[in-house]
Amino acid sequence: MSEKFYLTTAIDYVNGAPHIGHAYEKILSDVIIRHKRQLTDKAYMLTGTDEHGIKIQKTAALKGITPKELCDENFSKFEEAWRQLEISYDQIIRTTDEKHKKVVKQIFKKLYENGDIYKHSYKGLYCAGCECFLNSKDLTQDGLCPNHLKKPEEITEENYFFKLTKYKDKIADYIKSHPDFIQPSIRVNEILNQLENIEDISVSRTRNSVQWGIEVEGDDSQTIYVWIDALSNYITAIGYDIENPSAQFKELWPCDVHVIGKDIIKFHAVYWSAILMSLGLPLAHSIFAHGWITIDQSKMSKSLGNVIAPKDILQAFNLEKPDAFRYYMASAALIGKDGNYSDDDFKEKVNADLANNMGNLLNRTLNMLVKYFDGEIKQEFITEKTSKIAIMADNTKNQIIECFNKFEIAEAANLIVNFADTVNKYVTETAPWSLAKEGKMRECAQVLYTVLEAMRYIGIMLYPYCPNIAESILLQLNETPDFKYENLEWGKIKPGKITEKEKIKPVFLRLDSEFAENKKKA
Ligand code: MSP
């Protein structure tokens, strides 16, 4: 239990409130970190907010408030959303934190001293949405930014540039020799192709055009431009300092995974790698690029008016706990693929996978245990580790660990559902109610024990997705809610009375979408 695991998420822009795209990433990350905590005591999750740049400056000006006021207002919305979704981060960093700003200045200075940053006059096409200059060949046929479908501004400025070209070959070699670095691996060629045409990048803007940012030390005409500021959060948060890095930094770095969206892989796989190489620091083990969430199959956008906040969904379905939404989001797409949210699909999937498949299984079995055995397990009920369901339970556990090692979060959820399906079939085939009728009480008891033990496995394996439901499952089984994987050993439910009629409660509530419909109409 000693291997450390350090996970970071992208830090969100705070020029608006969190939507379910942001939530998707934080839920995936939280599911990963909760799973890792089942295996190690040293799992650490960092998330945060990206608070500088022209977009914040402009939005704040439009609202007639200061950029810091805008950041504070929206930061609290992100914090509140993550609290509601039970995102169990260890730390949340804001790029306006003084400690972060101080170390970013040091980093910039160090890169300059290393000869990797130089001043250069530049004319380029700047997209305020991406906060970066675009190459003309990256634009759409109509000359628009492919992400924001807006015409980039032509800007001439004297800026500091970072020598990305110097690191081009080293990064390509690194990517080729580290097959786990970019995940899923289908993204590798895309990055290698982008690397071929890479140019040095602008890493500052004039103070005249961008005031809301970290100053370049010793040159008050320039502001550090977002990517060095933003990417450095992964090390400043845990105490990196050029002269005197903290013990925590030494313990946690290199990071095990940067969880990010597919739109920002280049910044992580190329820009960030080059910055780390210049600083003489090791690169992260993996960058996991998830797909995007669409709403009813359309891209979420303010102009389409289809942006959904996670709290709207919890409210619309009257959910006190986030488990159902977390489960749905985490299983919305296979690794790296885009996923979609729709109210109907949410309701159907959660009802089918959680309420009907797993919920009924637990409920029926506990009721039979009360009916036939007064809620009591006896020594002779305990089934062998070599029984079919016990073997499948252990195989499922091992496959889930493998899935998580490859960041296959939805795939791991499917394994749990498949296992519950098999256990349901086992109940149908063995028909414990008939065994009881025929007086085959020991056989009946063994079937019930097998199902309850399988439910204990399901509870523990489901924990990263649905922490509250998982706890209810274990409590219904009269087990301590300890979700460590070391408890996944067959035969741990011990003899004794585990339940009685009044104690049996449904742990999965079916989602009622009429409620959501009425709400929409209202
Ligand atoms: N601030 C930068 C990231 C800097 S990381 C050093 C940024 N911010 S963002 O707010 O635009 O996006 C934050 C994360 O949310 C990104 O990983 C992005 O891919 C993800 N998503 C934003 N919209 C999304 C969807 N519709 N679906 C899934 N993820 C999406 O980029």
Side-chain angles (χ1 to χ4, degrees):
M1 297 287 278
S2 65
E3 226 177 290
K4 68 89 187 167
F5 190 88
Y6 176 35
L7 176 150
T8 68
T9 73
I11 51 173
D12 303 309
Y13 289 129
V14 284
N15 56 325
H19 56 59
I20 63 169
H22 299 122
Y24 176 57
E25 176 172 291
K26 279 33 179 200
I27 291 172
L28 285 181
S29 303
D30 189 56
V31 171
I32 298 172
I33 207 71
R34 283 179 188 263
H35 168 80
K36 294 294 173 184
R37 290 195 196 112
Q38 294 182 299
L39 295 160
T40 170
D41 292 327
K42 292 187 191 151
Y44 194 88
M45 171 173 169
L46 172 71
T47 189
T49 45
D50 195 352
E51 305 198 352
H52 292 126
I54 191 79
K55 268 202 280 188
I56 306 274
Q57 188 180 313
K58 284 187 180 166
T59 314
L62 278 175
K63 290 182 105 182
I65 54 176
T66 67
K68 183 68 168 77
E69 281 166 346
L70 177 69
C71 292
D72 288 348
E73 189 181 307
N74 284 330
F75 173 76
S76 54
K77 293 182 190 159
F78 278 87
E79 239 187 347
E80 173 62 8
W82 303 159
R83 193 193 56 74
Q84 279 187 332
L85 296 177
E86 298 188 25
I87 306 298
S88 62
Y89 54 77
D90 295 280
Q91 193 187 155
I92 185 161
I93 185 176
R94 302 178 62 174
T95 55
T96 48
D97 291 344
E98 288 308 319
K99 186 181 92 177
H100 172 79
K101 292 199 290 190
K102 176 182 146 230
V103 180
V104 168
K105 285 184 196 170
Q106 284 183 5
I107 291 172
F108 196 92
K109 188 159 167 251
K110 177 80 179 161
L111 300 180
Y112 184 80
E113 285 166 3
N114 288 349
D116 287 339
I117 284 182
Y118 60 94
K119 222 171 183 181
H120 172 66
S121 178
Y122 181 78
K123 186 171 169 189
L125 297 167
Y126 184 78
C127 171
C130 296
E131 307 231 25
C132 71
F133 285 96
L134 303 176
N135 286 333
S136 47
K137 60 180 173 342
D138 293 336
L139 305 181
T140 65
Q141 281 183 336
D142 311 328
L144 306 179
C145 158
N147 286 327
H148 297 89
L149 301 178
K150 288 216 176 107
K151 202 172 161 74
E153 280 175 75
E154 194 168 276
I155 290 181
T156 307
E157 271 191 11
E158 185 169 57
N159 296 153
Y160 285 102
F161 274 69
F162 178 72
K163 277 190 194 161
L164 208 50
T165 45
K166 173 174 156 188
Y167 293 97
K168 179 178 155 179
D169 294 339
K170 222 173 143 186
I171 295 172
D173 288 347
Y174 188 89
I175 293 174
K176 288 179 197 155
S177 58
H178 292 78
D180 291 341
F181 184 51
I182 297 174
Q183 307 229 19
S185 56
I186 42 156
R187 297 265 171 219
V188 168
N189 280 340
E190 173 187 323
I191 297 298
L192 290 174
N193 288 340
Q194 285 177 351
L195 254 177
E196 300 247 317
N197 306 311
I198 213 87
E199 290 168 9
D200 290 351
I201 48 162
S202 154
V203 288
S204 73
R205 301 289 308 277
T206 63
R207 205 104 200 119
N208 287 340
S209 55
V210 182
Q211 294 94 48
W212 184 239
I214 304 172
E215 319 83 67
V216 173
E217 217 164 59
D219 184 348
D220 57 14
S221 71
Q222 297 278 327
T223 306
I224 297 176
Y225 157 72
V226 294
W227 285 101
I228 288 192
D229 173 3
L231 291 162
S232 299
N233 91 85
Y234 302 135
I235 54 177
T236 64
I238 53 167
Y240 177 71
D241 181 288
I242 303 270
E243 298 299 329
N244 189 16
S246 70
Q248 186 185 39
F249 174 77
K250 288 181 197 154
E251 185 186 0
L252 293 178
W253 196 261
C255 167
D256 292 271
V257 62
H258 293 309
V259 180
I260 53 155
K262 64 179 185 181
D263 54 320
I264 52 173
I265 317 182
K266 182 173 81 183
F267 303 113
H268 285 78
V270 181
Y271 294 18
W272 182 226
S273 298
I275 295 169
L276 288 170
M277 284 172 176
S278 181
L279 292 173
L281 293 174
L283 310 193
H285 289 302
S286 296
I287 296 168
F288 160 38
H290 59 76
W292 269 42
I293 293 293
T294 52
I295 305 284
D296 296 326
Q297 311 298 342
S298 317
K299 195 170 169 180
M300 222 183 320
S301 80
K302 276 190 192 152
S303 48
L304 285 176
N306 65 350
V307 179
I308 304 186
K311 70 170 168 31
D312 297 339
I313 296 175
L314 298 187
Q315 231 172 43
F317 286 92
N318 203 16
L319 295 172
E320 270 169 36
K321 301 282 182 191
D323 293 43
F325 180 62
R326 288 172 58 102
Y327 172 78
Y328 179 72
M329 283 277 110
S331 49
L334 297 182
I335 183 169
K337 299 260 190 288
D338 291 342
N340 181 58
Y341 175 86
S342 85
D343 281 348
D344 287 343
D345 190 43
F346 174 42
K347 187 195 79 172
E348 268 165 41
K349 185 161 170 66
V350 164
N351 284 348
D353 291 359
L354 301 182
N356 300 349
N357 183 349
M358 300 175 198
N360 284 351
L361 184 61
L362 177 64
N363 210 269
R364 277 203 296 167
T365 315
L366 285 173
N367 274 309
M368 284 190 271
L369 189 74
V370 168
K371 187 168 171 193
Y372 305 133
F373 303 100
D374 196 26
E376 190 181 342
I377 303 276
K378 297 210 176 88
Q379 183 63 38
E380 67 266 25
F381 295 7
I382 299 178
T383 44
E384 296 291 324
K385 285 187 172 52
T386 49
S387 66
K388 187 183 110 192
I389 297 291
I391 289 175
M392 185 171 179
D394 278 322
N395 286 343
T396 305
K397 169 188 84 175
N398 293 331
Q399 286 165 350
I400 287 177
I401 295 176
E402 276 171 41
C403 278
F404 272 97
N405 286 340
K406 293 184 279 179
F407 311 111
E408 293 174 348
I409 319 302
E411 291 81 345
N414 287 342
L415 288 169
I416 309 175
V417 175
N418 283 345
F419 178 54
D421 275 342
T422 306
V423 181
N424 264 309
K425 280 191 200 117
Y426 165 79
V427 175
T428 313
E429 281 160 17
T430 50
W433 50 89
S434 304
L435 294 172
K437 238 188 224 159
E438 291 160 23
K440 297 179 179 162
M441 296 320 279
R442 185 178 166 142
E443 276 173 56
C444 171
Q446 289 188 337
V447 170
L448 299 187
Y449 184 87
T450 300
V451 179
L452 295 176
E453 193 53 6
M455 274 315 303
R456 195 179 62 83
Y457 268 68
I458 289 172
I460 295 178
M461 296 187 299
L462 196 64
Y463 162 77
Y465 304 83
C466 303
N468 301 291
I469 291 175
E471 181 172 326
S472 302
I473 293 177
L474 291 202
L475 291 175
Q476 283 284 293
L477 295 170
N478 201 32
E479 290 283 307
T480 323
D482 171 356
F483 302 102
K484 289 275 190 226
Y485 258 42
E486 64 199 17
N487 294 318
L488 288 182
E489 213 182 280
W490 193 261
K492 283 232 167 185
I493 298 183
K494 292 285 172 269
K497 191 170 166 93
I498 67 164
T499 191
E500 50 197 283
K501 186 106 199 103
E502 301 69 47
K503 284 193 185 158
I504 304 176
K505 303 245 156 57
V507 293
F508 300 92
L509 290 176
R510 289 175 58 82
L511 287 189
D512 174 6
S513 83
E514 265 168 47
F515 191 84
E517 275 302 311
N518 292 342
K519 189 131 187 164
K520 255 192 223 161
K521 281 180 205 148

